Amino acid sequence: MYFTSLPDHSKAGFDETMHFDKFGKHNIIFHAESKESYCDDHVGCLSIKTVWSGEEIYGVDGRQLAVRPGQLLVLNNDQRYSCRIRSKENVQCFSIFFKNDFASSVLIDRLHTEEFLLDNPRRDSSEIPEFYQTLRQITPDINRQFSGLRGLLQTGEYHQAGVDEYLIFMLRDLIGIYRSDIKSVGLVKAVKASTRREIYKRLCIARDVLHSSLGESLDLNTVGTQAGLSVPQLVRQFKSVFQTTPHQYLTDIRLKQAAGLLQYTDQQVQDVAWACGFENAGAFSRAFRSAYGMQPTRFRLEN
């Protein structure tokens, strides 16, 4: 099923039950533009969320995640969440909801050898992995699937077999993300496996706080509190797993956002600095030159 507009939950007579009853029973794609949209509460199936422009805010487990271009969010089956768009410009959003048995068969196929699959034709869907529900950068492999799928959809005709093939490879690529998380969990400094998993989950929350608060003034106490980690533990474990400190990570993603604004908008350098959380244009220019080897004004001219 393919939709080019988002549902209006506030519309008189909108049937919430009928709308959400489709999820998990069909592969569903939303490829739409909107300035304002919301869903206050929804229990979804395994899904991927991204945007091509703007941002969409998801509420997951009591925290707010801002999905921006170049990022994706994977939500597990039966996860309760909310989502909203509120923007002056159209936000181009792209969401894929996977049919339960379709996702099960693909993921299990990816996780096992050909010999195991032949010897065990009836496989238990409970083997489906649980993904850490955190903001992620879109990998080159997934980006190729996104690009191909978008191209197919933009032909104006919905080819079920062609779409399903892209979704199969996209689900297979998600296993790469899953295995990358397992490796990252192993970098956590702790003895017990359960402790490593819990600390990694909290580090992902800390990273999401940084991504979702680019324009705000953040301190380590705030980040640590939201992640449930002390400041020393936050800094130590963050550096161990992500090979950078929280402050360095935040500065890096702020500068990347600034580079995008300089390249694709006509905002003044001072406004770019403020939008990306820098106190003043001088501090921004020094940090930008250190990272990119040139002043922001020159970067804009050359890009």
Side-chain angles (χ1 to χ4, degrees), residues 74 76 129-136 174-188 196-197 200-201 204 207 241-242:
V74 180
N76 290 311
E130 288 285 310
F131 294 90
Y132 287 91
Q133 296 174 134
T134 181
L135 294 172
R136 306 174 183 278
L174 285 184
I175 295 299
I177 289 177
Y178 171 72
R179 288 173 172 163
S180 177
D181 280 337
I182 292 175
K183 290 182 180 178
S184 294
V185 169
L187 297 175
V188 173
R196 290 195 295 271
R197 289 192 296 269
Y200 180 69
K201 178 181 177 180
C204 287
R207 188 178 57 181
V241 173
F242 301 125

Side-chain angles (χ1 to χ4, degrees), residues 214-217 254-255 257-259 261-262 265 267-288 296 300:
L214 291 184
E216 302 175 16
S217 177
R254 281 175 168 171
L255 289 171
Q257 183 192 37
L261 292 176
L262 290 168
T265 76
Q267 291 185 44
Q268 296 294 318
V269 171
Q270 177 70 71
D271 294 333
V272 170
W274 285 338
C276 297
F278 291 91
E279 294 181 0
N280 55 67
F284 167 59
S285 294
R286 288 190 296 273
F288 194 91
R300 168 171 277 167

Side-chain angles (χ1 to χ4, degrees), residues 154-169:
Q154 287 169 350
T155 63
E157 297 183 18
Y158 187 81
H159 301 279
Q160 184 70 56
V163 169
D164 284 353
E165 287 177 357
Y166 278 110
L167 298 187
I168 286 170
F169 286 108

Side-chain angles (χ1 to χ4, degrees), residues 87-299:
S87 172
K88 294 180 180 179
E89 305 293 334
N90 270 332
V91 175
Q92 298 180 336
C93 57
F94 194 76
S95 296
I96 302 172
F97 299 83
F98 296 100
K99 182 179 178 181
N100 288 337
D101 57 3
F102 180 89
S104 298
S105 63
V106 176
L107 292 174
I108 291 172
D109 179 82
R110 180 70 177 87
L111 287 167
H112 295 290
T113 65
E114 299 297 339
E115 290 75 18
F116 177 89
L117 296 172
L118 286 175
D119 292 340
N120 298 273
R122 295 184 178 182
R123 294 173 291 278
D124 185 359
S125 62
S126 65
E127 293 182 57
I128 295 178
E130 288 285 310
F131 294 90
Y132 287 91
Q133 296 174 134
T134 181
L135 294 172
R136 306 174 183 278
Q137 294 302 116
I138 295 176
T139 66
D141 287 339
I142 290 180
N143 190 50
R144 280 193 290 272
Q145 304 307 327
F146 276 152
S147 297
L149 181 56
R150 287 179 72 189
L152 180 62
L153 294 173
Q154 287 169 350
T155 63
E157 297 183 18
Y158 187 81
H159 301 279
Q160 184 70 56
V163 169
D164 284 353
E165 287 177 357
Y166 278 110
L167 298 187
I168 286 170
F169 286 108
M170 201 170 293
L171 283 165
R172 289 176 63 84
D173 289 337
L174 285 184
I175 295 299
I177 289 177
Y178 171 72
R179 288 173 172 163
S180 177
D181 280 337
I182 292 175
K183 290 182 180 178
S184 294
V185 169
L187 297 175
V188 173
K189 304 299 184 183
V191 175
K192 293 182 178 179
S194 59
T195 303
R196 290 195 295 271
R197 289 192 296 269
E198 180 60 29
I199 290 177
Y200 180 69
K201 178 181 177 180
R202 297 188 187 197
L203 290 173
C204 287
I205 292 173
R207 188 178 57 181
D208 289 339
V209 170
L210 298 176
H211 273 285
S212 298
S213 309
L214 291 184
E216 302 175 16
S217 177
L218 281 178
D219 57 55
L220 292 175
N221 283 319
T222 300
V223 178
T225 298
Q226 293 192 43
L229 297 168
S230 69
V231 170
Q233 189 179 29
L234 167 68
V235 173
R236 174 170 49 80
Q237 295 283 15
F238 200 99
K239 179 67 179 292
S240 177
V241 173
F242 301 125
Q243 288 76 58
T244 187
T245 68
H247 175 70
Q248 292 167 342
Y249 187 87
L250 179 59
T251 300
D252 181 60
I253 58 178
R254 281 175 168 171
L255 289 171
K256 287 179 180 177
Q257 183 192 37
L261 292 176
L262 290 168
Q263 189 172 1
Y264 299 112
T265 76
D266 58 0
Q267 291 185 44
Q268 296 294 318
V269 171
Q270 177 70 71
D271 294 333
V272 170
W274 285 338
C276 297
F278 291 91
E279 294 181 0
N280 55 67
F284 167 59
S285 294
R286 288 190 296 273
F288 194 91
R289 182 173 182 177
S290 176
Y292 289 90
M294 64 184 75
Q295 294 291 349
T297 49
R298 182 182 168 191
F299 177 87

